[in-house]
Amino acid sequence: SSSSRDEALRDKRAQILSRGLPKQKPIEGVKQVVVLASGKGGVGKSTTAVNIALALAANDSTKEVGLLDADIYGPSVPKMMNLRGNPELTPKNLMRPLKNYGIACMSMGFLIEETAPVVWRGLMVMSAVEKLLRQVDWGQLDYLVIDMPPGTGDVQLSVSQNVPIAGAVIVSTPQDVALLDARKGAEMFRKVHVPVLGLVQNMSVFQCPKCKHETHIFGADGVRNLAKTLGLDILGDIPLHVNIRETCDSGQPVVISQPESDA
């Protein structure tokens, strides 16, 4: 009958499509993977990723935490975590992460000169991401925080389709231009069946250190409104604070260097 033929055709199509998708394979030794993403660059995603990794370790000293910098073109983790040098190789030819503040870190920044640009096409970038994911001896980690590059391109899709991800966190400023891209990021993760844990509103308000007057430089509550629209939680509301920027630039992130501060 026509309906049974249609059903057979649908099954066949589903089989062909499933063959084309990569099989998700856990990263050896890693229990939970959390990705930090943003649609737009410059919204403080790497700063947030670094401080989240340090906070996870600070909240529970029994947990082992790793941090993977998946931004091949603009790696920030080496500077923010005050790490430099080349990873050693294990007898199995795996790279050993560099470690600081108890966090195991891996980044393209450890493999190239600090000032050298990465002038690569997409395939080379994907190969590098695969190596950073699979050819690293992470040991036993409770959490691996992945700092994604900005946007919704090859790297995000590849990581989402190849690695089981516990959840994604989207970072955005309240500015309309950033929110447009943040929404695209959230929708992308939903399309590839990665749970979005929630949104972080960064650089939400600036308080004058002298008169204490508060200014919403990038707009007020834009991320909160987006969260309501998408049915997501707001995980944090982070001010535009000079200490947060200075501590990361100096390789002593605020969570580790000023844990009692408001920031």
Side-chain angles (χ1 to χ4, degrees), residues 24-213:
Q24 284 193 337
K25 183 180 162 198
I27 300 170
E28 197 170 331
V30 177
K31 288 182 186 171
Q32 306 274 0
V33 174
V34 178
V35 299
L36 267 285
S38 70
K40 192 161 238 21
V43 297
K45 171 183 50 59
S46 295
T47 301
T48 308
V50 163
N51 280 298
I52 281 178
L54 290 164
L56 283 168
N59 280 341
D60 189 343
S61 58
T62 65
K63 301 294 185 192
E64 290 293 329
V65 181
L67 178 59
L68 172 60
D69 187 351
D71 194 343
I72 302 300
Y73 293 117
S76 307
V77 164
K79 184 172 182 63
M80 291 183 178
M81 289 296 287
N82 196 24
L83 287 167
R84 59 185 58 82
N86 302 119
E88 294 176 359
L89 289 177
T90 69
K92 290 183 177 177
N93 224 26
L94 298 175
M95 293 181 285
R96 278 204 181 98
L98 275 62
K99 208 163 188 178
N100 197 12
Y101 308 124
I103 308 292
C105 300
M106 184 49 66
S107 169
M108 192 69 198
F110 301 146
L111 308 176
I112 56 169
E113 291 294 321
E114 191 176 16
T115 55
V118 175
V119 189
W120 287 354
R121 290 188 184 276
L123 280 173
M124 292 171 75
V125 171
M126 298 317 297
S127 173
V129 169
E130 181 66 18
K131 284 182 171 63
L132 291 175
L133 283 170
R134 303 289 181 195
Q135 294 183 22
V136 175
D137 181 11
W138 289 108
Q140 296 298 312
L141 293 183
D142 294 284
Y143 302 106
L144 177 63
V145 177
I146 301 183
D147 179 20
M148 292 280 214
T152 54
D154 287 348
V155 174
Q156 289 83 349
L157 277 173
S158 181
V159 172
S160 304
Q161 291 178 338
N162 283 285
V163 177
I165 296 172
V169 175
I170 310 286
V171 182
S172 180
T173 60
Q175 188 180 2
D176 286 351
V177 174
L179 293 168
L180 284 170
D181 291 343
R183 180 170 193 154
K184 289 175 192 170
E187 297 292 1
M188 184 212 76
F189 284 118
R190 282 178 165 173
K191 276 191 174 176
V192 293
H193 309 297
V194 170
V196 179
L197 301 176
L199 304 176
V200 171
Q201 179 162 267
N202 198 21
M203 307 184 205
S204 59
V205 65
F206 173 73
Q207 186 183 66
C208 174
K210 290 184 179 171
C211 70
K212 305 300 179 190
H213 175 71

